[in-house]
Amino acid sequence: MNIDIESKLLIVDDLPENLLALEALIRAPGRVVYRAASAEAALALLLEHEFALAIVDVQMPGMNGFELAELMRGTERTRHIPIIFVSAAGRELNYAFQGYESGAVDFLHKPLDPHAVVSKVNVFVDLYRHRKALRHEMESLAAAHRKQEELVQQLQHTQGELERAVRMRDDFMSMVSHELRTPLNTLYLEAQLRQLHLSKGNLASFAPERLPAMIERDQRQIRNMVRLIDDMLDVTRMRRDALSIQTKPVDLAALSRAVVENLHQQAEAAGSVITLHAPAELRGVWDEFRIEQVLTNLLTNALRYGGGKPVEMVVRQIDETGKNGGSAGVAQVAVRDQGIGIAPEDQGRVFEQFERTADSHKHAAGLGLGLYITRKIVSLHGGRIGVQSAPGEGSRFVVDLPLDATDATEVQGSDKEKEGTQT
């Protein structure tokens, strides 16, 4: 145990020569001796310093040594300081008893025995140094214990995150297998059926008027698989901060009409209809391909969980207060369904990857990536996305995009990566 600790000693006597002589006796390396010519001066020093020992003369004008000791014992800061009384009043027992009752740990009589004084002071100084060293060790152990607890908590948190990541990976692989199996099984069954018709010579199934519908069914299933793969690639790029955003002038109203038209058959298959309210033109600077993804994801999500009821999309321009207090143009896209809705506690979670609400699992399949990708794209354009919903009352997703996303944070990716997602 390291006990190289400085010790402060207080000596109190109204006679300067006594102070000088006593200091000469007890002075040693690692010690600092403070002298006080009165009890009042001693109290002032006690307020400023932490002392290992106080040697107090009993008989002093004004406040005597016993009264000083009683004051010291009445204060939390000084009550633990050992006190040695010095007296020239002889060895009367009553006097000694009064000293011990006042809180003395020892009693010295004048004339002082130098060896006894040095020996007693050494004992109390060593005790103080050991006590301080022990306190330091205990504080170090307590700090180490707190640090250990923090590390344990961090490890537990990390373990929980790893376990969650493993579960997410397993769930993801399961969902991918399930989602890809659906269009693959459809294509496989279509191929078997066509092979059966050919083996029986039933060429009527391949009449020219039937071929467009047959090709459209195949293309729909292929598009579903490509979309799943694109979503997985986008998530991978987001994790590497490599999702490409390349802005150019875009007419959001025209783009919205094109997306609604592309989803016409999907809406029919879901027993729903999409209503679009948009101005003749709404121009801004965005990444056209990525904004198309946003619109498609929002509408697909509404069709998937809308329960076959109508879906409404509203595109408009609004004005917001800019950074400098001026008016800033913002394009707003709102998609509303009349489906199962989202509980308040789930509304933040639906924007995380692979996250879906408990009710959504019962109504539709999916990877839980669409809204996560949408939020990321909107964020990269300097915009924001939110949801207004209640269970059983449908959901309204709102996207606000600044008309000029040129100044938004761009995460650069290669053109090749982006082209790879376009089909």
Side-chain angles (χ1 to χ4, degrees):
M1 181 185 296
N2 180 18
I3 57 174
D4 186 16
I5 298 171
E6 181 184 73
S7 302
K8 295 181 180 180
L9 307 178
L10 174 63
I11 55 177
V12 186
D13 198 308
D14 61 308
L15 298 177
E17 59 271 22
N18 289 346
L19 291 174
L20 187 61
L22 186 55
E23 181 180 357
L25 277 177
I26 65 176
R27 187 191 301 117
R31 300 179 188 176
V32 179
V33 180
Y34 290 83
R35 293 181 287 179
S38 66
E40 290 77 10
L43 288 174
L45 291 171
L46 287 166
L47 293 174
E48 297 179 9
H49 304 281
E50 179 184 352
F51 291 101
L53 175 66
I55 303 176
V56 180
D57 184 39
V58 173
Q59 296 167 321
M60 292 186 294
M63 186 187 302
N64 63 33
F66 295 147
E67 293 170 333
L68 173 61
E70 290 174 0
L71 287 176
M72 291 173 61
R73 291 295 173 257
T75 304
E76 181 64 31
R77 177 180 175 85
T78 57
R79 68 173 52 185
H80 301 294
I81 299 175
I83 301 174
I84 297 178
F85 281 126
V86 178
S87 174
R91 299 178 179 272
E92 293 89 347
L93 288 178
N94 289 338
Y95 213 66
F97 285 147
Q98 185 179 357
Y100 289 120
E101 287 177 356
S102 299
V105 296
D106 208 340
F107 218 102
L108 295 175
H109 299 275
K110 296 179 181 179
L112 298 178
D113 181 350
H115 296 290
V117 172
V118 171
S119 177
K120 291 178 185 294
V121 170
N122 288 342
V123 169
F124 286 110
V125 168
D126 287 343
L127 286 174
Y128 171 79
R129 294 167 65 194
H130 280 283
R131 187 167 61 250
K132 289 287 289 185
L134 180 60
R135 185 187 304 169
H136 176 74
E137 291 293 331
M138 292 178 65
E139 290 173 352
S140 298
L141 287 173
H145 180 67
R146 289 193 298 270
K147 185 67 175 178
Q148 187 179 35
E149 288 182 340
E150 292 175 1
L151 291 174
V152 170
Q153 291 176 355
Q154 291 176 4
L155 287 174
Q156 291 174 342
H157 177 73
T158 302
Q159 182 181 8
E161 290 295 316
L162 288 174
E163 292 175 352
R164 181 174 180 272
V166 171
R167 288 195 301 271
M168 288 176 61
R169 181 203 63 188
D170 294 342
D171 292 344
F172 175 67
M173 296 304 297
S174 176
M175 287 188 293
V176 168
S177 300
H178 174 76
E179 292 295 310
L180 287 177
R181 187 182 294 115
T182 300
L184 281 174
N185 284 343
T186 302
L187 287 173
Y188 180 68
L189 291 174
E190 286 278 353
Q192 282 189 318
L193 182 61
R194 293 166 195 170
Q195 186 177 18
L196 180 61
H197 286 313
L198 287 174
S199 65
K200 292 182 177 181
N202 184 11
L203 299 182
S205 299
F206 302 96
E209 63 272 14
R210 293 188 175 183
L211 288 178
M214 186 183 302
I215 293 172
E216 173 58 30
R217 288 197 302 270
D218 292 346
Q219 287 180 335
R220 185 184 309 120
Q221 302 305 325
I222 293 171
R223 283 197 300 268
N224 288 339
M225 287 188 289
V226 170
R227 182 168 182 79
L228 289 172
I229 294 171
D230 283 346
D231 284 351
M232 290 185 286
L233 289 174
D234 280 344
V235 170
T236 301
R237 295 188 185 104
M238 289 176 188
R239 288 179 174 174
R240 293 187 287 113
D241 284 339
L243 188 66
S244 175
I245 296 295
Q246 299 180 2
T247 59
K248 65 178 183 179
V250 178
D251 183 354
L252 183 60
L255 182 61
S256 301
R257 287 189 284 269
V259 170
V260 170
E261 179 62 28
N262 291 339
L263 293 176
H264 175 71
Q265 290 185 340
Q266 184 175 337
E268 285 187 346
S272 179
V273 61
I274 302 174
T275 302
L276 173 64
H277 303 280
E281 184 179 85
L282 204 172
R283 292 196 169 274
V285 179
W286 305 293
D287 185 315
E288 182 176 10
F289 171 70
R290 296 300 180 188
I291 297 303
E292 182 180 352
Q293 276 186 285
V294 169
L295 301 178
T296 302
N297 285 342
L298 291 176
L299 288 173
T300 301
N301 187 75
L303 293 172
R304 178 175 293 166
Y305 302 111
K309 298 178 181 178
V311 172
E312 180 186 51
M313 182 163 75
V314 178
V315 179
R316 61 175 182 158
Q317 180 176 340
I318 60 176
D319 291 327
E320 291 187 348
T321 302
K323 294 181 179 179
N324 298 322
S327 179
V330 174
Q332 185 178 88
V333 178
V335 176
R336 181 177 181 82
D337 63 65
Q338 303 175 45
I340 60 175
I342 307 171
E345 62 271 17
D346 292 329
Q347 291 179 12
R349 192 163 58 86
V350 295
F351 293 104
E352 300 299 329
Q353 56 182 328
F354 312 131
E355 291 285 359
R356 297 162 66 202
T357 65
D359 290 338
S360 66
H361 288 278
K362 305 174 185 177
H363 292 80
L367 297 179
L369 293 175
L371 292 176
Y372 169 73
I373 294 172
T374 297
R375 185 183 67 171
K376 186 68 174 180
I377 292 173
V378 171
S379 176
L380 290 174
H381 282 80
R384 58 181 181 269
I385 182 171
V387 61
Q388 302 163 356
S389 183
E393 299 181 7
S395 302
R396 180 174 180 264
F397 287 87
V398 180
V399 172
D400 291 334
L401 294 169
L403 292 182
D404 188 350
T406 305
D407 296 331
T409 304
E410 293 189 5
V411 180
Q412 297 298 328
S414 66
D415 291 341
K416 183 177 180 180
E417 280 186 327
K418 181 179 177 181
E419 291 170 1
T421 65
Q422 294 176 329
T423 58

